[in-house]
Amino acid sequence: MAIPNRNINYPTAIKYGAGRIKELAEFCKANGIKRPLVVTDKGLAAMPMVAEIMADLKAAGLKAALFADVRPNPVEENVLAGCKVFKDGRHDGVVALGGGSGLDTGKMIALMHSQKISVFELEDIGDWWTRADASLISPIIAVPTTAGTGSEVGRAGVITHPITHEKKIIFHPAIMPKVALLDPELTVGLPAKLTAATGMDALAHNLEAYCAPFYHPWSQGVALEGMRLVKDNLVKAVKKPKDLDARGNMLVASAMGATAFQRGLGAIHALAHPFGGLYDAHHGLLNGIIMPYVLKANRRRIEKDIGRAAAYLGIKGGFDGFLKWVLALRKEIGIPHALKDIGIDTKRLDEVAAMAVKDPSAGGNPIQFTERQYKALAKKCVTGNL
């Protein structure tokens, strides 16, 4: 088989290490940011570490302000409100702080604050990103406080459409953060349930990137090692929350997953997106619940690849052994077996299936499921019929 033409980029500057949040002001200045808008969610904004970060930025002479009107599943309204604060405060850059919601909203504010079009006109379709005026996009410093989404190394953000409830992937190459600051000390206070859910998000990114049917050996290698880091560290991070080595390795696994999934995602995300949009459920938790059902549905196309991954991860039994490991991991860290366990029912499966088959992630699934197949798969995820 001839090797196809591919465009491959790994450009993010990653600053990793415990305590490196103290260098945030320095990174802002190095990237021309004098008036940063710190974007995070309401829960995080109330925590002492955010007050410390704001104090450090101001002590360094930066005119920093805080914006925290961000929902767990961000909507256009959050972006518009943030853009108004950005312009009113004459800010010149964004510090995106938090989990996926804070990171994605921060990136969208940096992208949209002075554009003349809707954020949804920049959905990740074809060359739609060229509709934006790139000269108006402000620099971003990304600081994750969870190990899951990996949005700190990505060129996109996810925003829920207010009418259709679809999660839309908004893309522009210029919203790649100038710096991703990975400080494991910032994740120590994350509750066990969120550590588990975000960790399963990181695993889903690495797993789907590894299985995607596209030529991208760089991403496949990164994804394989990302899965190993999750295997060796997620349980530790959940059960021993002050273990900085485990926390740090999970941050790296998260960033690796988001780096790798330029190879593609798949049906885990294609289903998690509509379930999240329709039921306002946590994205990482949805990925963790849905994962084994999609693994089994894709078996005939991925069995050999999963067998190789299992061997690398030290899991015996090939595909079956890998599936058993996923199920055991979920049980050990408290991830429910079925979507019904978190209040999701079968009433909207037609909507879920219609949205899933159109989701950009579906294009990376090893098997191109039909809408009917997505409905059947979604039902299994809800009822727990593995």
Side-chain angles (χ1 to χ4, degrees):
M1 182 184 72
I3 296 176
N5 291 338
R6 293 288 287 167
N7 298 324
I8 295 169
N9 298 284
Y10 287 115
T12 315
I14 298 174
K15 311 297 183 181
Y16 171 77
R20 296 201 69 177
I21 190 62
K22 292 296 183 181
E23 300 176 51
L24 178 57
E26 173 188 329
F27 297 140
C28 286
K29 291 178 181 179
N31 286 280
I33 302 174
K34 297 178 181 179
R35 304 178 67 91
L37 179 64
V38 178
V39 179
T40 192
D41 61 79
K42 293 177 182 178
L44 197 59
M47 296 182 67
M49 72 169 169
V50 174
E52 293 175 16
I53 289 170
M54 297 301 296
D56 287 345
L57 291 174
K58 291 175 182 178
L62 299 177
K63 305 295 184 182
L66 182 67
F67 174 76
D69 185 12
V70 177
R71 288 177 52 176
N73 288 300
V75 295
E76 182 184 24
E77 182 181 347
N78 300 142
V79 177
L80 294 174
C83 288
K84 184 177 188 307
V85 172
F86 188 97
K87 294 182 74 173
D88 289 349
R90 296 183 292 111
H91 294 287
D92 56 5
V94 167
V95 173
L97 173 70
S101 57
L103 296 176
D104 282 1
T105 306
K107 290 159 68 176
M108 293 300 100
I109 292 169
L111 169 64
M112 295 302 304
H113 62 80
S114 296
Q115 303 293 338
K116 304 299 183 184
I117 57 178
S118 162
V119 67
F120 297 114
E121 293 179 73
L122 299 177
E123 188 177 353
D124 188 14
I125 298 174
D127 65 351
W128 281 22
W129 63 272
T130 60
R131 297 171 173 178
D133 184 341
S135 69
L136 301 176
I137 301 172
S138 297
I140 304 159
I141 308 294
V143 186
T145 61
T146 67
T149 70
S151 185
E152 67 275 6
V153 296
R155 298 168 291 176
V158 179
I159 302 295
T160 302
H161 195 283
I163 298 174
T164 66
H165 304 292
E166 293 174 294
K167 285 196 169 188
K168 300 289 190 178
I169 299 173
I170 311 302
F171 169 84
H172 196 287
I175 63 170
M176 175 72 76
K178 301 296 184 183
V179 172
L181 198 166
L182 275 56
D183 185 341
E185 291 184 353
L186 300 181
T187 70
V188 166
L190 193 68
K193 287 185 178 181
L194 283 176
T195 300
T198 54
M200 291 303 291
D201 194 19
L203 177 58
H205 292 158
N206 282 292
L207 174 59
E208 291 203 293
Y210 176 76
C211 293
F214 304 117
Y215 182 81
H216 200 317
W218 284 266
S219 283
Q220 196 166 29
V222 169
L224 188 59
E225 178 64 5
M227 284 191 281
R228 186 194 68 80
L229 288 174
V230 173
K231 179 177 179 288
D232 291 351
N233 294 280
L234 179 53
V235 173
K236 293 178 186 177
V238 171
K239 296 190 173 183
K240 298 179 180 179
K242 294 184 179 180
D243 186 332
L244 284 181
D245 287 336
R247 290 287 192 181
N249 280 321
M250 283 305 302
L251 272 176
V252 173
S254 174
M256 290 173 76
T259 301
F261 72 54
Q262 62 174 268
R263 187 173 191 242
L265 287 170
I268 296 174
H269 277 77
L271 285 170
H273 285 154
F275 274 122
L278 293 169
Y279 291 90
D280 200 25
H282 187 277
H283 176 69
L285 181 59
L286 290 170
N287 281 341
I289 295 172
I290 292 168
M291 185 179 296
Y293 303 93
V294 172
L295 264 173
K296 192 172 180 180
N298 279 317
R299 178 168 187 156
R300 65 181 174 83
R301 286 293 301 274
I302 65 174
E303 188 163 4
K304 289 183 179 179
D305 286 335
I306 291 296
R308 285 190 289 268
Y312 180 77
L313 297 172
I315 296 170
K316 296 180 180 179
F319 182 93
D320 288 331
F322 187 90
L323 181 58
K324 288 179 181 177
W325 167 68
V326 169
L327 292 170
L329 173 65
R330 296 194 317 162
K331 185 175 181 180
E332 188 168 9
I333 62 176
I335 301 295
H337 181 64
L339 293 176
K340 66 181 180 181
D341 298 327
I342 62 169
I344 292 177
D345 54 37
T346 58
K347 295 178 180 178
R348 308 185 75 172
L349 293 185
D350 287 330
E351 291 175 82
V352 169
M355 293 162 72
V357 77
K358 294 187 298 182
D359 191 276
S361 302
N365 199 65
I367 299 172
Q368 290 300 293
F369 297 134
T370 65
E371 187 172 326
R372 182 178 178 181
Q373 288 172 314
Y374 267 117
K375 182 178 179 180
L377 184 54
K379 184 176 181 180
K380 290 181 178 181
C381 294
V382 173
T383 62
N385 182 22
L386 184 60

